[in-house]
């Protein structure tokens, strides 16, 4: 799976009066109408239980300038992770990390269990975009930014 390049995301929620989150690359757009995203979460994690309890999550698309935050987020656990960054909230109350390329605030609208994971479907209820930051990409154990796209793919 390391050879599947993907954006780096911190997926966050708020439960028991504490922020909770995980680093994830298994995030994908599902539908534009209604706007829906998915995130795959291991059912043996605390984050899984937190999303089940809260019913919402925020997908924070890491900017290529946030590689240090992504690395440090893995090194600590629990609410301590959110001491590493500035964050606010949008509509659901899930932590929306300031400086991310985008924050997609989602309400859980369904799920699918597959193997060790639950695929949470999240209907987007609020969005915050950064105009200039490009997303951070993970591939084969490496973090990288992306080159600026100079030409449209289809003329």
């Amino acid at each position: 799976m390391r050879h599947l390049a993907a954006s780096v995301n911190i997926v966050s929620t708020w439960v028991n009066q504490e922020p909770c989150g995980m680093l994830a690359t298994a995030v994908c757009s599902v539908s534009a109408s209604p706007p829906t995203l998915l995130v795959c979460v291991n059912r043996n994690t605390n984050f899984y239980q937190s999303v089940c309890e809260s019913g919402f999550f925020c997908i924070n698309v890491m900017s290529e300038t946030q590689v240090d935050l992504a690395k440090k987020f893995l090194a600590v656990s629990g609410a301590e992770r959110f001491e590493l960054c500035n964050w606010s909230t949008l509509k659901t109350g899930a932590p929306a990390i300031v400086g991310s390329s985008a924050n997609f605030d989602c309400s859980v609208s369904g799920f699918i269990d597959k193997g060790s994971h639950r695929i949470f479907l999240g209907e987007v209820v609020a969005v915050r975009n950064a105009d200039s930051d490009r997303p951070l990409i993970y591939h084969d154990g490496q973090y990288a930014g992306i080159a600026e796209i100079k030409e449209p793919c289809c003329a």
Side-chain angles (χ1 to χ4, degrees):
M1 298 300 182
R2 292 170 55 117
H3 296 288
L4 184 61
S7 67
V8 178
N9 308 278
I10 292 177
V11 186
S12 58
T13 193
W14 187 266
V15 69
N16 297 327
Q17 300 185 17
E18 284 194 355
C20 181
M22 69 172 210
L23 203 63
T25 56
V27 172
C28 183
S29 172
V30 175
S31 170
S33 183
T36 304
L37 301 173
L38 69 75
V39 61
C40 300
V41 179
N42 189 312
R43 287 184 282 168
N44 292 320
T45 64
N46 290 334
F47 186 73
Y48 163 78
Q49 190 60 42
S50 295
V51 174
C52 288
E53 288 178 31
S54 70
F56 56 82
F57 56 88
C58 185
I59 296 173
N60 301 280
V61 181
M62 294 292 92
S63 157
E64 64 186 4
T65 62
Q66 292 177 305
V67 66
D68 287 339
L69 172 59
K71 289 177 179 178
K72 290 175 183 175
F73 200 85
L74 286 174
V76 298
S77 62
E80 185 180 349
R81 290 174 160 175
F82 292 90
E83 294 173 10
L84 300 171
C85 58
N86 292 324
W87 56 273
S88 61
T89 59
L90 299 176
K91 190 171 181 180
T92 68
I97 297 173
V98 175
S100 299
S101 285
N103 309 103
F104 294 96
D105 197 19
C106 301
S107 177
V108 173
S109 60
F111 63 87
I112 300 164
D113 288 329
K114 183 66 176 174
S116 59
H117 284 63
R118 175 165 285 180
I119 302 164
F120 286 101
L121 300 170
E123 189 165 331
V124 179
V125 297
V127 177
R128 180 172 62 199
N129 290 316
D131 293 330
S132 60
D133 288 337
R134 293 187 299 251
L136 181 63
I137 304 297
Y138 181 83
H139 176 260
D140 198 20
Q142 303 275 331
Y143 292 100
I146 58 172
E148 187 173 343
I149 299 170
K150 304 222 183 265
E151 296 178 26
C153 67
C154 305

